[in-house]
Amino acid sequence: MGRQNRGTNAAPQGNNNKQHFSHPHILKLIVNPTDTETELLTCNACEQPNNSNKPFYGCNTCQYFLHENCFNAPRFLNHTSHSSHPLTLHQIPSYSSRSYTCKACGSAGNGFCFSCACCEFDIHLQCASCPNSILVDNHPHQLGLHFGSPYEDKNMEYVCDMCNVIMNKDDWLYYCAACDFGSHLQCAITSLEVGVFPKQQRPIPNSNPNQNTSLNSNANAAVEMINSVNDDHDRLIAAQIEAQIAARSRQAMLDLW
């Protein structure tokens, strides 16, 4: 897939180098990527270029690279868009075509995906980490994330109020019910990026006393850690929304003056 690396900014051998389930070799943490590296590197997980100066992990021998966020994506995910089964992170699609169609945005994918094999349900990593609500410049209210048509009549056609293109009724969208304002994911979030995933559900208590309870203890500890990260993310989103509202209020006062 044309992944290249011309630099030598790999971090020293040590705790910064990690093993990932998707690759047989140790991946080195590469910090402060050069402009050349930033332009040439493509993440094998989300299939997006490394368009920032954030660290990433790589195997120079195999030209295999992962964004740090993609590297840290959970192996299993309980997502509200598919509450019937947990989703499993796959390195490559399990289909014979080695590709899938994302249920969230409707576009094709060849890299990592969160998948439910029972239901043939697949979504991109970046779509799985879309926030539950968002503010956009084109609308004064918060938009909520909907997993399909927001109307009772699921056959009703509707357009994206940001690009004026008819939307796929099965795709996810951001929507304000009070104003009947809807938007594609990619229109509301100009740069979809893997980030903090939705809160994980707590494991169901084990009803069989003969099974090893240490597994549940470890799972609960992991859930608490994930939820703590997500709580921090929620507070960050709230602060960003508050700042945007304050900025808009100041601008409105200046315009009125």
Side-chain angles (χ1 to χ4, degrees):
M1 297 181 69
R3 290 158 175 79
Q4 302 180 48
N5 180 34
R6 307 281 178 90
T8 57
N9 290 330
Q13 292 282 350
N15 293 332
N16 288 330
N17 302 331
K18 298 180 180 180
Q19 183 79 55
H20 194 266
F21 79 92
S22 65
H23 194 71
H25 303 142
I26 296 295
L27 301 183
K28 296 181 179 180
L29 178 64
I30 303 175
V31 296
N32 299 322
T34 64
D35 292 338
T36 302
E37 288 175 322
T38 298
E39 292 176 359
L40 295 177
L41 291 178
T42 298
C43 176
N44 285 71
C46 67
E47 304 177 90
Q48 299 298 313
N50 184 54
N51 52 8
S52 68
N53 290 324
K54 296 179 180 179
F56 57 93
Y57 288 89
C59 173
N60 290 335
T61 304
C62 303
Q63 297 294 285
Y64 186 89
F65 303 100
L66 298 175
H67 290 123
E68 187 174 32
N69 283 351
C70 295
F71 182 97
N72 293 320
R75 291 295 305 276
F76 305 97
L77 185 67
N78 288 309
H79 200 280
T80 50
S81 65
H82 191 73
S83 57
S84 53
H85 305 108
L87 305 179
T88 303
L89 181 62
H90 288 285
Q91 174 190 359
I92 56 175
S94 57
Y95 310 111
S96 58
S97 61
R98 289 295 182 263
S99 66
Y100 65 94
T101 300
C102 177
K103 296 291 186 182
C105 65
S107 60
N110 301 98
F112 285 24
C113 64
F114 280 108
S115 175
C116 172
C118 298
C119 305
E120 295 187 358
F121 181 95
D122 308 277
I123 53 177
H124 291 118
L125 270 72
Q126 53 268 44
C127 291
S129 60
C130 284
N132 290 328
S133 59
I134 193 172
L135 270 177
V136 296
D137 293 335
N138 305 55
H139 193 70
H141 306 139
Q142 252 186 300
L143 306 181
L145 181 62
H146 286 251
F147 307 122
S149 173
Y151 302 108
E152 290 186 9
D153 182 2
K154 300 304 179 183
N155 294 320
M156 180 185 297
E157 285 192 346
Y158 50 95
V159 301
C160 173
D161 289 293
M162 297 185 69
C163 69
N164 295 320
V165 172
I166 295 177
M167 302 182 69
N168 188 323
K169 296 184 285 292
D170 295 325
D171 290 350
W172 298 3
L173 74 157
Y174 281 105
Y175 183 70
C176 172
C179 304
D180 192 26
F181 182 97
S183 167
H184 289 111
L185 298 184
Q186 60 269 28
C187 291
I189 308 176
T190 55
S191 179
L192 287 175
E193 183 179 356
V194 176
V196 178
F197 294 88
K199 291 184 178 181
Q200 305 301 289
Q201 298 176 4
R202 297 177 184 275
I204 299 174
N206 188 355
S207 59
N208 185 351
N210 295 325
Q211 292 186 358
N212 190 347
T213 58
S214 64
L215 294 177
N216 282 337
S217 300
N218 293 335
N220 280 320
V223 167
E224 291 297 334
M225 180 180 67
I226 293 171
N227 285 343
S228 175
V229 172
N230 278 282
D231 289 340
D232 292 339
H233 180 259
D234 291 343
R235 285 191 289 270
L236 176 61
I237 291 296
Q240 291 174 340
I241 292 173
E242 184 178 355
Q244 290 184 35
I245 293 174
R248 289 175 180 176
S249 299
R250 289 194 297 270
Q251 185 61 48
M253 294 176 64
L254 288 174
D255 293 342
L256 181 61
W257 181 80

